[in-house]
């Protein structure tokens, strides 16, 4: 075991968590058998600052956490990204645990936050530092294309339909104002309307993957050629869904 403030590295020691203090006694080190006892304050502040840098606060732009320490050897840092919709609390983004994050269609008009916790394994070594970004805008080029596709009430994408057997099937995904279609050449394999259960689920770890949830018990996992296309699918499909819900009301 070796963490800041604990003296020399050791093994075979006794350890117990007492409130916010980690008490460690004895063990073996290169110096021989240890007879000392240490109490490490897990909430002791580590002098560090956290910022989030980006070229511009837009989808498809790279957001990076920048961490600086006032002194000493930097401890390992656990990072978790969050998003907050307008007037809503921050929610954890599952799978977003790196120092870098690229906002997707899910993050449009949301604030992003990064929680950074100094730690040793699963044990915290200080307080969490939280940094927030401005609201994420839709990439201007993306926004222009989406407006054109929605105005035409039609969008077409080449997709790879994914299956549990790892086989990949190439199809054409067609998004129309009132229906989602999956075509194989001239044959239409799927023709579904935008029901109340319709939603687009984007993968965080696989930037080209998404799932179209058509209705209860009917979903289509698929992949596109580029993450930019995936955001296009999400924006257009959600726009058509919203327009249909308005028409039903």
């Amino acid at each position: 075991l070796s963490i800041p403030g604990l003296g020399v590295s050791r093994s075979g020691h006794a350890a117990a968590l007492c409130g916010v203090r980690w008490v460690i006694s004895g063990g073996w080190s290169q110096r021989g058998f240890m007879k000392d006892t240490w109490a490490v304050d897990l909430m002791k502040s580590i002098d560090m600052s956290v910022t989030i840098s980006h070229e511009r606060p837009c989808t498809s732009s790279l957001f990076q956490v920048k961490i600086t320490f006032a002194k000493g050897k930097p401890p390992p840092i656990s990072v978790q990204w969050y998003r907050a919709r307008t007037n809503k609390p921050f929610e954890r983004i599952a799978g977003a645990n790196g120092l870098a994050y690229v906002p997707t269609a899910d993050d449009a008009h949301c604030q992003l936050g990064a929680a950074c916790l100094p730690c040793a394994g699963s044990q915290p070594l200080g307080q969490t530092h939280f940094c927030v970004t401005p609201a994420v805008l839709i990439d201007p080029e993306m926004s222009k294309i989406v407006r054109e596709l929605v105005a035409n009430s039609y969008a077409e994408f080449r997709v790879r339909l994914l299956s549990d057997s790892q086989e990949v099937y190439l199809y054409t995904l067609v998004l129309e104002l009132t229906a989602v279609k999956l075509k194989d050449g001239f044959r239409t394999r799927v023709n579904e309307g935008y029901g109340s259960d319709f939603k687009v689920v984007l993968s965080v770890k696989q930037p080209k993957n998404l799932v179209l949830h058509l209705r209860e018990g009917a979903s289509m996992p698929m992949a596109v050629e580029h993450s930019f296309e995936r955001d296009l699918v999400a924006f257009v499909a959600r726009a058509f869904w919203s327009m249909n819900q308005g028409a039903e009301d």
Side-chain angles (χ1 to χ4, degrees):
L1 173 72
S2 177
I3 64 173
L6 192 59
V8 298
S9 300
R10 67 185 68 202
S11 61
H13 50 278
L17 186 61
C18 300
V20 297
R21 289 182 172 82
W22 195 15
V23 180
I24 295 151
S25 179
W28 181 265
S29 76
Q30 292 180 344
R31 301 178 184 177
F33 183 70
M34 308 291 289
K35 298 181 180 180
D36 56 350
T37 299
W38 290 73
V40 181
D41 187 349
L42 300 179
M43 300 309 294
K44 183 179 179 180
S45 177
I46 292 180
D47 193 358
M48 58 181 276
S49 62
V50 178
T51 59
I52 300 177
S53 65
H54 52 80
E55 184 176 345
R56 53 181 183 171
C58 297
T59 56
S60 305
S61 295
L62 181 66
F63 285 58
Q64 288 185 297
V65 174
K66 302 289 186 181
I67 304 173
T68 56
F69 296 89
K71 61 181 179 179
K73 182 180 178 181
I77 301 294
S78 172
V79 179
Q80 175 63 60
W81 288 85
Y82 291 79
R83 75 166 63 92
R85 308 184 192 284
T86 305
N87 298 323
K88 298 291 184 180
F90 278 95
E91 298 178 345
R92 178 175 171 270
I93 304 175
N97 306 110
L99 290 173
Y101 179 73
V102 178
T104 68
D106 286 346
D107 302 306
H109 310 302
C110 297
Q111 280 187 293
L112 296 178
C116 302
L117 175 66
C119 60
S122 60
Q123 295 292 339
L125 297 180
Q127 297 178 338
T128 298
H129 294 251
F130 195 77
C131 189
V132 177
T133 72
V136 176
L137 306 176
I138 301 177
D139 180 274
E141 183 180 350
M142 172 90 63
S143 180
K144 179 181 178 181
I145 297 173
V146 170
R147 288 197 302 268
E148 291 175 352
L149 294 174
V150 172
N152 291 331
S153 301
Y154 184 89
E156 187 176 293
F157 305 90
R158 290 292 290 170
V159 300
R160 292 178 290 117
L161 203 61
L162 308 177
S163 69
D164 294 336
S165 63
Q166 305 300 317
E167 293 185 43
V168 176
Y169 305 92
L170 295 177
Y171 289 94
T172 299
L173 174 67
V174 177
L175 301 177
E176 297 179 350
L177 178 59
T178 59
V180 177
K181 297 179 180 179
L182 194 67
K183 293 187 174 182
D184 178 11
F186 294 103
R187 293 177 295 179
T188 300
R189 298 289 189 178
V190 175
N191 188 349
E192 294 273 351
Y194 297 95
S196 58
D197 290 337
F198 177 85
K199 62 181 177 181
V200 184
V201 181
L202 306 182
S203 169
V204 173
K205 293 188 176 182
Q206 300 293 333
K208 299 178 183 179
N209 291 12
L210 69 152
V211 177
L212 293 186
H213 182 82
L214 304 174
R215 52 182 166 79
E216 187 66 30
S219 298
M220 295 192 299
M222 60 184 65
V224 294
E225 290 300 315
H226 194 277
S227 57
F228 190 90
E229 286 183 280
R230 188 183 72 163
D231 279 353
L232 278 177
V233 171
F235 281 128
V236 173
R238 288 168 180 172
F240 287 160
W241 173 84
S242 178
M243 294 164 71
N244 278 271
Q245 301 312 297
E248 291 179 3
D249 296 339

